[in-house]
Amino acid sequence: RAKLEGRGAVRFFQQKLHDELVRQHDLSARLEEALDNGEFSLHYQPQVSAASGRIENLEALIRWEPAEGPTISPGEFIPLAERSGLIHRLGEWVIEEACRQQVEWRAKGFHEHRIDINVSGRQLVRPDALKNFEDSLQRHGLGPRDIGIELTENVLIEADETVLEDLRRLYHRGIRIAIDDFGTGYSSLSYLKHFPVTALKIDRSFIHDAPTQPKDRAIMEGAIFIGHRLGLEVVAEGVENAEQLSLLLEMHCDLVQGFFFYRPMPAKEIERLLGGFVPGNEEPSS
Ligand code: C2E
Ligand code: MG
Ligand code: MG
Ligand code: MG
């Protein structure tokens, strides 16, 4: 009997695996057309100053809203785009769209915030990726106070000399370079010494458990301390409640980002925020 159940389980998992592969194949095949059809958009999630609550940065997060069916998350389609190579076109689209949006916002009088875009390791395999980024900024008349980038630790570790040179050039031009998901990569602290970065974003797993787990709290505190000692800006991602925020305030974290403050939102909603609209005043916060 146990054997039969075992075989049933195997068949069940094989079916699941099969369904998943079919879905991936299907999404992969639709990605390029989706780009041509304008099915992608950028949502923006504010990063606020822990001390003042002011919106300092907006992280651009890509969304795929197919003509039919529900929104597909980047966690699902970015890896597919990386595998198919479409990530290069997609990455260029993200840069262009972020630049266009920032120019529009500046023209409307919103001068305070910067936009940070995510750049994945696969994108930097193209030696001209960061140069294209700089070209886009220039073409739009934008500078370091307008757009920054987020890279994960692994990207830095795997970066070759060309990429590092480009990063150093961006760094010396004052462009913000943040390490995303800090603390979760396969890296040693010594890379903080070598790589041109301006900010650390502490991974949300540490933030999540900090109120209840002394070890997570210790790592969070250590990351803030080391970041500050190295002259870096420290951001906490995934802040979801007041307990987490109070710890971060106590530890003098610079910027906080998470559902406790704002979810990623379409540009139109961001605009209302930048215009001084306070969400809690109109509708009960959700
Ligand atoms: P990430 O850069 O670490 O982005 C943070 C993710 O955490 C976002 O998910 C965001 O919606 C989510 N998040 C924000 N606050 C909270 C919170 O309080 N609690 C929880 N549980 N989650 C929160 P999203 O938008 O699904 O993006 C997932 C990942 O996809 C990003 O992780 C990033 O690695 C990648 N990604 C997103 N947009 C782009 C893009 O334009 N280009 C590239 N290359 N990658 C992107
Ligand atoms: Mg990010
Ligand atoms: Mg992150
Ligand atoms: Mg992440």
Side-chain angles (χ1 to χ4, degrees), residues 1-281:
R1 205 168 157 248
K3 214 174 197 172
L4 270 181
E5 272 175 7
R7 228 177 279 154
V10 168
R11 218 173 298 127
F12 176 76
F13 287 125
Q14 276 174 345
Q15 186 60 46
K16 284 264 164 247
L17 195 60
H18 177 260
D19 293 350
E20 176 55 26
L21 290 176
V22 168
R23 175 169 165 82
Q24 285 186 9
H25 184 82
D26 172 54
L27 290 181
S28 218
R30 283 160 56 200
L31 265 173
E32 185 151 19
E33 209 186 306
L35 190 53
D36 296 333
N37 291 345
E39 293 178 8
F40 291 97
S41 67
L42 291 182
H43 282 199
Y44 299 88
Q45 187 179 31
Q47 296 175 5
V48 306
S49 155
S52 71
R54 246 189 39 165
I55 295 176
E56 306 264 340
N57 293 334
L58 301 170
E59 179 178 4
L61 295 156
I62 195 169
R63 295 291 178 263
W64 179 5
E65 281 142 6
E68 287 149 50
T71 302
I72 302 163
S73 86
E76 188 163 19
F77 67 78
I78 292 284
L80 300 178
E82 290 182 332
R83 242 175 283 158
S84 73
L86 193 71
I87 189 67
H88 302 295
R89 272 190 66 204
L90 208 55
E92 278 166 24
W93 179 84
V94 168
I95 291 165
E96 278 302 307
E97 175 58 16
C99 287
R100 187 202 62 75
Q101 185 62 70
Q102 189 64 304
V103 167
E104 186 187 319
W105 276 334
R106 295 302 193 227
K108 286 179 172 169
F110 304 123
H111 293 292
E112 304 300 320
H113 67 279
R114 190 179 55 233
I115 294 176
D116 288 345
I117 59 172
N118 290 282
V119 177
S120 75
R122 262 322 291 237
Q123 291 177 250
L124 298 183
V125 171
R126 286 258 172 107
D128 52 359
L130 289 171
K131 284 186 201 80
N132 290 342
F133 169 73
E134 278 186 285
D135 289 348
S136 299
L137 290 189
Q138 257 188 347
R139 211 169 345 100
H140 287 89
L142 296 170
R145 293 184 61 255
D146 300 307
I147 309 261
I149 58 176
E150 295 189 2
L151 309 163
T152 61
E153 294 164 87
N154 296 345
V155 174
L156 289 169
I157 301 298
E158 287 156 21
D160 63 20
E161 199 40 48
T162 333
V163 169
L164 287 178
E165 249 166 55
D166 287 342
L167 283 175
R168 276 183 220 116
R169 201 180 52 251
L170 294 183
Y171 178 89
H172 287 298
R173 297 203 173 148
I175 290 176
R176 177 174 126 135
I177 305 169
I179 303 181
D180 207 351
D181 307 339
F182 179 73
T184 58
Y186 298 99
S187 56
S188 70
L189 287 174
S190 73
Y191 76 93
L192 286 177
K193 216 167 62 174
H194 300 297
F195 294 134
V197 296
T198 63
L200 298 184
K201 293 189 75 182
I202 306 172
D203 189 70
R204 70 165 185 258
S205 58
F206 303 114
I207 311 299
H208 187 264
D209 292 327
T212 54
Q213 303 292 326
K215 287 184 182 175
D216 290 283
R217 189 154 64 236
I219 291 171
M220 182 171 104
E221 189 168 20
I224 295 171
F225 180 78
I226 209 166
H228 283 163
R229 286 303 303 269
L230 292 168
L232 304 175
E233 181 174 58
V234 182
V235 187
E237 63 174 26
V239 182
E240 293 181 349
N241 58 53
E243 291 72 38
Q244 296 162 348
L245 174 60
S246 119
L247 286 173
L248 289 160
L249 280 171
E250 226 171 84
M251 297 170 186
H252 302 288
C253 189
D254 303 296
L255 297 176
V256 284
Q257 174 183 13
F259 297 166
F260 186 62
F261 305 97
Y262 306 102
R263 289 180 176 264
M265 296 179 273
K268 278 278 159 275
E269 283 175 43
I270 289 290
E271 214 168 294
R272 297 205 300 157
L273 268 184
L274 297 176
F277 169 77
V278 183
N281 287 356

